[in-house]
Amino acid sequence: MKKAPVALVWAVAAGSVLGASDSFELIKEKLGAEGCSYYEFISIVESDVFDDADTASGFACLASDGRYNVKVADEQYVYDLAYLYTYSASSNQVIIETPDSGAVAGEELSFITRLDDVYTTTAVTAGKRYHLVRQPDAVGDYPDSLDVLIDAQNLLLKQIRYFDVNGDLNIILFTVQDYGLPCADSLFRLMAPDSVETVRL
């Protein structure tokens, strides 16, 4: 699922470092704010086994109450708090299931609305790069760690990097971000062709 001014005196420099350090906290507040957030991104998966990379564009609409609509390439995940709908355009099939209490498919991006609930944050370079480690009691199939790059000046995410369960490097490059949007119920309804095959699990 994007700098702090140079100070000429020590006191101002110290204040600038503090401001840069706090910028990720301000971004996380925006990520977890009430309402909906919208993202457009480029997803890159680099595989060491096959020595190649898959690149796909996508979007995500994430609601603060847990609903989401995430599309990557030809696959879409819509969660309305009751059911998870997984739509594959290539197979023209929708799978409908009731997720358990853990993380469900599609949450590879939706977890960014609750980073502090899942991860402990360490600044690698304040105002630029942060390393997040999953908390031992976090429930769900979340990555063990994340590397997050931010735009401190504009308070935006730039990039998230993590290794998935297959050991492949996943890179999410954010191209569009918007926060605090109204959450219409229609955003979390899957719009699939009439000819789609439906499978209920």
Side-chain angles (χ1 to χ4, degrees):
M1 49 182 94
K2 155 190 258 266
K3 284 167 178 323
V6 177
L8 300 179
V9 296
W10 173 253
V12 179
S16 296
V17 172
L18 178 60
S21 179
D22 289 344
S23 57
F24 189 35
E25 297 305 314
L26 295 175
I27 291 172
K28 286 191 285 187
E29 287 181 16
K30 292 170 65 175
L31 293 172
E34 289 296 314
C36 277
S37 54
Y38 175 78
Y39 311 85
E40 292 178 12
F41 57 88
I42 298 171
S43 173
I44 304 170
V45 180
E46 298 183 352
S47 173
D48 283 340
V49 175
F50 299 104
D51 194 26
D52 64 1
D54 290 331
T55 301
S57 59
F59 73 79
C61 184
L62 313 178
S64 55
D65 62 8
R67 293 176 295 172
Y68 58 79
N69 185 341
V70 178
K71 184 176 186 297
V72 183
D74 71 343
E75 298 211 340
Q76 188 169 4
Y77 308 94
V78 178
Y79 180 53
D80 62 6
L81 297 182
Y83 298 100
L84 171 66
Y85 302 82
T86 302
Y87 170 59
S88 171
S90 59
S91 64
N92 197 32
Q93 183 181 79
V94 173
I95 297 174
I96 304 174
E97 57 189 309
T98 304
D100 59 23
S101 59
V104 295
E107 285 199 346
E108 60 269 12
L109 189 60
S110 66
F111 65 76
I112 66 174
T113 61
R114 44 194 296 268
L115 288 176
D116 281 341
D117 293 336
V118 180
Y119 295 97
T120 300
T121 300
T122 301
V124 178
T125 303
K128 292 184 179 180
R129 186 186 185 104
Y130 297 81
H131 185 65
L132 282 63
V133 177
R134 176 175 162 166
Q135 298 176 14
D137 58 349
V139 178
D141 296 326
Y142 303 110
D144 290 336
S145 65
L146 307 172
D147 282 308
V148 180
L149 280 67
I150 69 167
D151 177 345
Q153 182 176 352
N154 296 301
L155 296 180
L156 295 172
L157 293 171
K158 292 176 66 177
Q159 183 182 131
I160 292 178
R161 304 166 66 94
Y162 64 90
F163 288 93
D164 61 24
V165 293
N166 298 315
D168 296 335
L169 176 62
N170 288 244
I171 305 171
I172 301 172
L173 305 174
F174 294 91
T175 57
V176 174
Q177 296 167 63
D178 205 354
Y179 305 94
L181 304 174
C183 282
D185 289 341
S186 59
L187 295 172
F188 306 101
R189 296 194 189 108
L190 179 64
M191 304 299 291
D194 293 338
S195 61
V196 70
E197 176 190 4
T198 300
V199 177
R200 291 182 178 271
L201 300 181

